[in-house]
């Protein structure tokens, strides 16, 4: 899954390549997405490149190549430009369909382990930051005694930046929702209110460092107010 801004930028580049045969400049991207500086564009370009959607061609200025488009582009979703910025046009579905009555509750057997339905809120990047946590994709059953108190959700891991912590691409992590965490805990961090990533938290004064568990990825340091904690990891599940 891509963030809204990543999706908008990818589709803007794709549309410009189709129309003009050359990618837009960073200033044009900044204006199209209505961003205040080109640093945000640099970050979005890096995210799209590391996730395999685009490629920067070496030794050529403004040289970008689209490698793939999101699989989740739904019917009725198409790129559209506005006078200030770029945004997808979404055709909303109807909510008027009749909902079938739920089946009667089933009485569990004495040997069954009590479970709770936990919402899976899409994918989280153990690598490049991706979509802010907003939309439930499906649910999974978790043992009730694993939860404890509080609100929980699950995320599917995408990327390899936390492999030295035993977290691999395709794993599912269980997150206890909250806005605080201690140094050294693995957290879901929301960067600039638009990108979410799974990293180890390090705090020093007013600065926040998001530390990978893979030497191939550098630690990213952010100033005050740029990072908000969305929860901390309490368990991991893997299918073989």
């Amino acid at each position: 899954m891509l963030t809204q801004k990543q999706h908008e930028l990818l589709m803007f580049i794709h549309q410009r390549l189709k129309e003009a045969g050359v990618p837009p400049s960073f200033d044009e991207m900044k204006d199209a997405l209505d961003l205040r500086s080109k640093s945000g564009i640099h970050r979005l370009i890096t995210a799209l490149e590391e996730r395999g959607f685009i490629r920067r061609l070496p030794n050529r200025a403004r040289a970008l190549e689209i490698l793939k488009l999101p699989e989740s582009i739904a019917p009725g979703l198409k790129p559209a430009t506005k006078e200030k910025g770029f945004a997808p046009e979404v055709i909303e579905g109807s909510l008027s369909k009749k909902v079938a009555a739920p089946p009667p509750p089933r009485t569990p057997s004495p040997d069954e382990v009590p479970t709770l339905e936990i919402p899976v809120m899409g994918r989280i990047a153990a690598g490049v930051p991706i979509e802010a946590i907003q939309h439930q994709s499906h649910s999974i059953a978790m043992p009730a005694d694993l939860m404890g108190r509080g609100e929980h959700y699950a995320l599917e891991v995408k990327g390899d930046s936390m492999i030295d912590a035993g977290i691999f691409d395709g794993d599912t992590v269980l997150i206890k929702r909250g806005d605080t965490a201690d140094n050294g805990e693995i957290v879901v961090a929301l960067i600039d209110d638009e990108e979410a990533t799974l990293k180890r938290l390090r705090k020093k004064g007013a600065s926040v460092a998001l530390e990978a568990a893979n030497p191939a990825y550098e630690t990213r340091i952010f100033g005050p107010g740029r990072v908000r904690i969305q929860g901390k990891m309490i368990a991991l599940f893997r299918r073989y």
Side-chain angles (χ1 to χ4, degrees), residues 67-97:
L67 299 179
K68 64 179 180 179
L69 294 175
E71 297 178 359
S72 59
I73 295 179
L77 181 64
K78 60 182 181 180
T81 55
K82 299 188 297 183
E83 182 178 352
K84 288 188 177 180
F86 169 82
E89 177 183 335
V90 180
I91 299 176
E92 296 183 357
S94 171
L95 299 179
S96 61
K97 295 180 179 180

Side-chain angles (χ1 to χ4, degrees), residues 8-29:
E8 290 176 6
L9 180 59
L10 179 63
M11 298 307 296
F12 178 64
I13 295 171
H14 175 63
Q15 183 173 338
R16 182 60 63 88
L17 284 170
K18 287 177 59 178
E19 293 176 350
V22 294
S25 68
F26 274 55
D27 283 322
E28 290 171 327
M29 297 181 204

Side-chain angles (χ1 to χ4, degrees), residues 116-135:
L116 294 174
E117 289 293 317
I118 302 298
V120 179
M121 308 298 285
R123 287 188 170 188
I124 183 72
V128 182
I130 56 175
E131 182 179 8
I133 308 304
Q134 294 178 347
H135 305 295

Side-chain angles (χ1 to χ4, degrees), residues 178-218:
D179 56 8
T180 61
D182 296 327
N183 266 333
E185 290 187 306
I186 296 174
V187 301
V188 174
L190 185 64
I191 304 169
D192 295 332
D193 288 328
E194 65 175 26
E195 297 175 309
T197 188
L198 186 72
K199 291 290 183 292
R200 195 178 299 278
L201 179 70
R202 301 290 184 191
K203 294 183 287 187
K204 187 175 182 180
S207 297
V208 172
L210 299 179
E211 181 181 276
N214 182 338
Y217 294 82
E218 63 180 13

Side-chain angles (χ1 to χ4, degrees), residues 16-62:
R16 182 60 63 88
L17 284 170
K18 287 177 59 178
E19 293 176 350
V22 294
S25 68
F26 274 55
D27 283 322
E28 290 171 327
M29 297 181 204
K30 175 177 70 69
D31 293 340
L33 271 68
D34 201 20
L35 297 180
R36 288 176 292 181
S37 70
K38 287 189 287 188
S39 62
I41 295 296
H42 281 281
R43 187 171 66 248
L44 294 173
I45 288 288
T46 299
L48 290 171
E49 184 178 27
E50 294 186 4
R51 295 194 65 218
F53 285 92
I54 65 173
R55 178 172 63 185
R56 280 184 273 204
L57 303 178
N59 304 319
R60 293 174 58 187
R62 289 179 53 179

Side-chain angles (χ1 to χ4, degrees), residues 93-116:
S94 171
L95 299 179
S96 61
K97 295 180 179 180
K98 294 182 179 180
V99 179
R106 184 178 63 87
T107 303
S109 69
D111 295 331
E112 286 189 43
V113 176
T115 61
L116 294 174

